[in-house]
Amino acid sequence: DGGITQSPKYLFRKEGQNVTLSCEQNLNHDAMYWYRQDPGQGLRLIYYSQIVNDFQKGDIAEGYSVSREKKESFPLTVTSAQKNPTAFYLCASSITGAGWNEQFFGPGTRLTVL
Amino acid sequence: GENVEQHPSTLSVQEGDSAVIKCTYSDSASNYFPWYKQELGKRPQLIIDIRSNVGEKKDQRIAVTLNKTAKHFSLHITETQPEDSAVYFCAASKSDYKLSFGAGTTVTVRA
């Protein structure tokens, strides 16, 4: 299960606060992704990055922001503009951004807004 | 965009029986269809995938079939075992960056 890590495992946030979720990979993968997992809704893409210093919005990017300053790291910030941020967040990486490449997932961060 | 529907949402089978999960997709340009398994408390992991130039693929007790005309694909698990209990996600891609996931099927194997 090594290679892609997320921290923290659990995160609690007060309403109105921004919070940053960490995602690191040592697989030398070019592409990285952030998904949100809610019960009964599968995995929904928030942001993705095919290469360092480049990223694009996914299907549910509103209220989120990312950066990709290093190949190994793709942090996600959940801003106060995200109306319903309580969810399980999964980071993934793949060797390239081509859709047929296996995506390797991190262990996830469960965010709870109090 | 691509819309992937997955059925059933829950599936309970007796150990040793077979399990079948079905997915439909909307975009005829999709050409890659992976299946991910997520055990309780763990991360999703790829278990099998199929490309549009192949109709069926097998790996030990699991198999995936694809019907491009009808735009649906299925996961078949034979001789189910307790360790097959998990949430299974289908997905579809058009060879670009994006995987569109189904909502998931929770499979429970009864001893």
Side-chain angles (χ1 to χ4, degrees):
Chain A
D1 280 350
I4 181 165
T5 59
Q6 292 182 242
S7 62
K9 186 174 182 179
Y10 298 97
L11 189 56
F12 298 90
R13 190 195 90 178
K14 293 182 180 180
E15 282 193 26
Q17 288 181 336
N18 293 354
V19 63
T20 297
L21 282 59
S22 169
C23 177
E24 303 277 334
Q25 54 97 1
N26 62 3
L27 300 169
N28 200 32
H29 285 174
D30 283 331
M32 298 186 74
Y33 313 82
W34 274 106
Y35 293 93
R36 171 177 170 145
Q37 185 174 20
D38 296 284
Q41 294 194 50
L43 305 176
R44 293 183 291 167
L45 184 65
I46 304 172
Y47 268 97
Y48 73 101
S49 168
Q50 295 195 51
I51 200 165
V52 176
N53 294 320
D54 183 62
F55 52 83
Q56 283 81 39
K57 294 181 179 180
D59 297 322
I60 56 166
E62 185 176 352
Y64 300 97
S65 66
V66 294
S67 62
R68 186 85 188 277
E69 297 176 0
K70 296 187 299 182
K71 188 175 186 177
E72 303 79 19
S73 178
F74 191 41
L76 173 74
T77 297
V78 184
T79 75
S80 56
Q82 168 50 232
K83 298 190 189 319
N84 185 21
T86 294
F88 188 57
Y89 291 87
L90 283 162
C91 178
S93 70
S94 62
I95 190 164
T96 73
W100 58 77
N101 290 140
E102 179 178 358
Q103 292 190 16
F104 294 83
F105 286 85
T109 293
R110 188 166 298 280
L111 173 64
T112 303
V113 175
L114 305 173
Chain B
E2 174 67 275
N3 180 43
V4 178
E5 294 192 356
Q6 183 171 347
H7 300 280
S9 57
T10 61
L11 181 59
S12 179
V13 297
Q14 189 71 36
E15 183 177 355
D17 288 350
S18 295
V20 180
I21 304 169
K22 298 181 180 180
C23 290
T24 60
Y25 59 99
S26 60
D27 192 335
S28 57
S30 290
N31 58 11
Y32 174 67
F33 308 92
W35 287 86
Y36 283 79
K37 175 184 180 182
Q38 186 177 27
E39 297 178 27
L40 188 63
K42 296 191 175 181
R43 68 192 77 190
Q45 290 188 307
L46 179 71
I47 55 171
I48 195 167
D49 57 13
I50 192 168
R51 300 196 186 191
S52 60
N53 59 347
V54 176
E56 183 176 5
K57 184 177 179 180
K58 290 183 179 179
D59 183 4
Q60 299 182 354
R61 294 186 298 106
I62 60 173
V64 57
T65 59
L66 172 65
N67 183 327
K68 287 190 295 181
T69 303
K71 290 190 285 187
H72 67 72
F73 56 112
S74 300
L75 179 72
H76 304 254
I77 308 173
T78 59
E79 300 173 14
T80 53
Q81 300 171 5
E83 55 264 36
D84 295 327
S85 295
V87 180
Y88 292 82
F89 295 98
C90 63
S93 169
K94 291 188 291 186
S95 302
D96 56 5
Y97 66 94
K98 184 178 175 181
L99 281 178
S100 297
F101 284 89
T105 297
T106 300
V107 174
T108 303
V109 179
R110 306 187 308 272

